[in-house]
Amino acid sequence: MERNTGFQEQSFDLLIKYEDWHWWFQSRNKMIVKLIKRFRRQPGQMLEIGCGNGLVTEAISKSFPDADIIGTEFFREGLAHAQARLPDVTFEQLDARDLDGSRLFDTVCAFDVLEHIDADLEVMKAVRRAMRDAKSRFFITVPQHMSLWSEADVFAKHERRYSFAEMQQKLKEAGFTIEYRTSYVFLLAPLMFLSRRGKQAATDYNPEDEFNISNTGNRVLSGIMAVEAFLRGLGVPMPFGGSLVVVAKPF
């Protein structure tokens, strides 16, 4: 089968300008670390699929210094940034569909990756082959709701934005059950919806507009995301939002 690259190679240079301080990336990092602590305690031997510039890899490595982490990426451009960021972490170029069960992992992660892949079910099945045992977990974040589809998704070369039903069905076919699900960017979802309405057919779309924000605006949105994280910790349901977050376990 022809391999779909599913990403703009120049996006790695774009993202690295914003990842280390932008509210969206930093709030997501905190959520991911908390979820791993909750459902795995320690990642053990961990595989990150589509590690990009290594931003999430770095957050996990700092929070779990004893974890044995392998970061993988389809593009060499991302691997170069990731290796420069984390010279002591192992990084490999990999198409996730090539996971064949010869290496087994306690934790597998795919953060905003599956939406770029046409054969996402094939990747999920490959991840299932790489699960060490019933205690292994698959951590996933993906963009959510096709109603939010816009030129931003087109530029990012997304294949889809997921519904929970689609994610649940595909994970079931791959051999997983969902242990936990929530949304990310729940409190800001109405603002995101209004913003995306204006970008659905934009002819002058500039991808940097997604990230350009004042320091004050960044602090305000970071504060709102901190409130969302607090509510999530209390168990407040978050059925909709910009992203779907899932923890899956093998059966």
Side-chain angles (χ1 to χ4, degrees), residues 22-123:
H22 193 276
W23 66 271
W24 191 91
F25 297 103
Q26 294 304 311
S27 299
R28 186 187 61 157
N29 273 4
K30 293 174 183 178
M31 175 186 63
I32 287 168
V33 167
K34 286 182 179 180
L35 283 178
I36 294 174
K37 288 180 178 178
R38 176 178 173 182
F39 290 98
R40 274 294 311 171
R41 295 190 180 179
Q42 289 291 333
Q45 191 154 12
M46 189 194 98
L47 175 71
E48 185 183 359
I49 296 169
C51 65
N53 292 326
L55 178 74
V56 184
T57 321
E58 182 179 36
I60 295 173
S61 180
K62 287 181 177 179
S63 298
F64 305 97
D66 295 329
D68 183 5
I69 302 172
I70 298 177
T72 66
E73 175 55 58
F74 187 87
F75 291 98
R76 293 188 181 275
E77 291 86 350
L79 287 173
H81 288 305
Q83 197 69 76
R85 189 194 295 267
L86 295 166
D88 296 328
V89 172
T90 299
F91 291 98
E92 301 177 3
Q93 189 173 26
L94 176 74
D95 185 315
R97 290 181 287 181
D98 292 334
L99 291 169
D100 59 6
S102 60
R103 293 187 295 179
L104 301 178
F105 298 92
D106 303 296
T107 305
V108 180
C109 305
F111 301 123
D112 292 280
V113 173
L114 293 175
E115 67 273 15
H116 294 278
I117 302 171
D118 52 356
D120 57 341
L121 178 57
E122 189 177 342
V123 170

